[in-house]
């Protein structure tokens, strides 16, 4: 019994001493961090300075470190955090009758017009039993639902969780171009994306005996109707190839005309030394014109024919599809093309 009493007395004696020692250590660490943060602030390293000011305030809250932290947050653009710290400093100064209360209030009021705000709205249909809403890791109490709350510029994440449902994360963004944003929680599960939605059911066709006229669906595109992804392209290729065949045919016909005119001139109007009468000269000119037209038609037709073959051959084919080939073919009096099919 005496031993137990002695232990209790020893605990009472050592307890406050241990707590005081820990508090003294925290104050010392806070002062070290505060001095380091001021040095970083003077060096222009604001982000690192803010981190150390925040840790110093956590260890030993005070009016001075709160004002420094607020000023540091304002320097790095965290306007909402700076505004909140200036408001906190104003409250501390008022409690202590400190003259810096006016400074803190003025700095907070100067930031109010620059604040970005995020509203978290929970639909009345959402079950609230066990519902938890977090904004950037901090709990959003029900009294803040539907209220525009100041937030720092940038990206924010709202996490919704409830027993029996997976956590749902909703992203939001605010900045100078979009100073307000609203996150609406209308359900506890993720909204299905269009890729996950079930395909629409096509209604059955109207029977012939129906009193109203049936709705006529638009004709499907050639590719969709045949199931061949390259059908349209092959049709274009065939069309271009046929145009090329026509051009080659015209070239052949003009070539025959040119040869005929030349033969006529050589038959009498022009002698072996190419001395021609007026009729012979006319025949020679007609022959030259026909020859020139033949050359142009042959070149254009060949180009179109080659283009049609390229377009047709490079078109994608469906499995087991019937293939159609266009190939140039020499023919009497000119040229042409032959269409072949393969299965």
């Amino acid at each position: 019994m005496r031993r137990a009493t002695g232990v209790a007395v020893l605990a009472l004696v050592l307890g406050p001493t241990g707590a005081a020692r820990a508090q003294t250590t925290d104050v010392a660490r806070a002062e070290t961090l505060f001095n380091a943060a001021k040095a970083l602030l003077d060096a222009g390293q604001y982000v690192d300075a803010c981190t150390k000011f925040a840790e110093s305030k956590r260890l030993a809250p005070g009016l001075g470190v709160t004002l420094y932290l607020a000023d540091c947050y304002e320097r790095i653009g965290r306007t909402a955090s700076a505004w909140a710290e200036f408001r906190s400093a104003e409250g501390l100064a008022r409690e202590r009758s400190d003259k810096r209360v006016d400074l803190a209030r003025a700095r907070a009021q100067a930031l109010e017009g620059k604040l970005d705000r995020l509203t978290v709205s929970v639909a009345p249909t959402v079950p609230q039993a066990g519902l938890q809403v977090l904004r950037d890791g901090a709990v959003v109490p029900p009294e803040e639902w539907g209220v525009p709350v100041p937030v720092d510029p940038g990206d924010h994440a709202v996490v919704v969780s409830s027993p029996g449902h997976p956590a749902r994360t909703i992203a939001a963004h605010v900045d100078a171009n979009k100073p307000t944003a609203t996150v609406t929680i209308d359900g506890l599960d993720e909204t299905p994306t269009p890729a996950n939605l079930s395909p629409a059911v096509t209604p059955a066709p109207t029977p012939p005996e129906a009193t109203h006229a049936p709705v006529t669906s638009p004709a499907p595109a050639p590719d969709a109707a045949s199931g061949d992804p390259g059908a349209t392209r092959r049709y274009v290729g065939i069309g271009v190839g046929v145009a090329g065949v026509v051009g080659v045919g015209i070239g052949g016909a003009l070539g025959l005309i040119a040869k005929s005119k030349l033969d006529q001139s050589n038959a009498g109007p022009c002698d072996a030394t190419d001395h021609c009468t007026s009729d012979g000269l006319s025949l020679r000119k007609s022959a030259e014109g026909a020859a020139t037209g033949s050359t142009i038609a042959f070149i254009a037709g060949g180009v179109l024919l080659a283009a049609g073959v390229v377009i047709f051959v490079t078109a994608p084919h469906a499995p087991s599809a019937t293939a159609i080939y266009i190939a140039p073919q020499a023919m009497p009096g000119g040229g042409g093309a032959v269409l072949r099919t393969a299965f």
Side-chain angles (χ1 to χ4, degrees):
M1 184 68 179
R2 291 179 179 177
R3 183 176 181 180
T5 304
V7 171
V9 171
L10 181 62
L12 290 173
V13 172
L14 295 179
T17 303
R21 186 176 302 164
Q23 185 176 4
T24 302
T25 303
D26 287 345
V27 171
R29 287 180 56 200
E31 184 177 357
T32 301
L33 288 168
F34 180 79
N35 292 331
K38 287 181 64 179
L40 291 170
L41 192 68
D42 294 338
Q45 301 180 29
Y46 301 136
V47 175
D48 293 337
C50 292
T51 301
K52 294 188 182 300
F53 277 133
E55 180 62 14
S56 176
K57 180 190 174 185
R58 187 188 69 82
L59 294 171
L63 177 58
V65 69
T66 302
L67 286 171
Y68 267 98
L69 178 59
D71 178 75
C72 189
Y73 279 152
E74 185 176 1
R75 289 172 185 262
I76 64 175
R78 295 183 56 179
T79 51
S81 297
W83 174 79
E85 294 297 336
F86 278 127
R87 291 291 303 273
S88 176
E90 180 187 356
L92 289 173
R94 184 175 290 105
E95 291 176 0
R96 302 173 185 180
S97 299
D98 193 294
K99 61 182 180 180
R100 287 174 287 184
V101 64
D102 294 332
L103 171 65
R105 181 173 59 253
R107 295 289 297 271
Q109 290 176 348
L111 288 173
E112 286 182 358
K114 306 176 183 178
L115 295 177
D116 299 325
R117 300 179 187 273
L118 176 62
T119 303
V120 178
S121 178
V122 180
T125 56
V126 177
Q128 298 186 13
L131 179 65
Q132 185 180 55
V133 181
L134 303 178
R135 179 186 57 244
D136 299 328
V139 176
V140 181
E143 55 268 22
E144 287 189 8
W145 295 352
V147 178
V149 176
V151 293
D152 291 328
D155 296 324
H156 299 272
V158 176
V159 179
V160 185
S161 61
S162 182
H165 297 272
R168 178 184 177 190
T169 302
I170 306 174
H173 181 85
V174 292
D175 53 29
N177 296 323
K178 185 185 177 184
T180 61
T182 300
V183 171
T184 301
I185 302 170
D186 51 9
L188 299 178
D189 297 317
E190 293 285 353
T191 302
T193 59
N196 296 328
L197 293 176
S198 300
V201 178
T202 304
T206 305
E209 61 271 18
T211 56
H212 60 278
V215 177
T216 303
S217 300
D223 288 358
S226 63
D228 187 350
T232 300
R233 185 168 178 175
R234 278 193 290 279
Y235 291 145
V236 173
I238 291 173
V240 174
V242 169
V245 171
V246 172
V248 172
I250 293 173
L254 290 175
L256 291 175
I257 293 173
K259 186 177 184 304
S260 175
K261 294 291 185 181
L262 182 60
D263 290 343
Q264 290 179 27
S265 68
N266 292 332
C270 295
D271 57 20
T273 60
D274 287 338
H275 291 288
C276 303
T277 64
S278 59
D279 292 338
L281 290 174
S282 177
L283 289 172
R284 287 288 178 94
K285 289 182 180 180
S286 297
E288 290 177 1
T292 302
S294 174
T295 302
I296 295 174
F298 263 118
I299 294 174
V303 170
L304 289 174
L305 182 60
V309 171
V310 171
I311 294 172
F312 185 91
V313 171
T314 57
H317 291 271
S320 302
T322 301
I324 304 176
Y325 300 93
I326 305 176
Q329 178 71 41
M331 295 182 179
V338 176
L339 301 182
R340 294 190 178 95
T341 60
F343 297 89

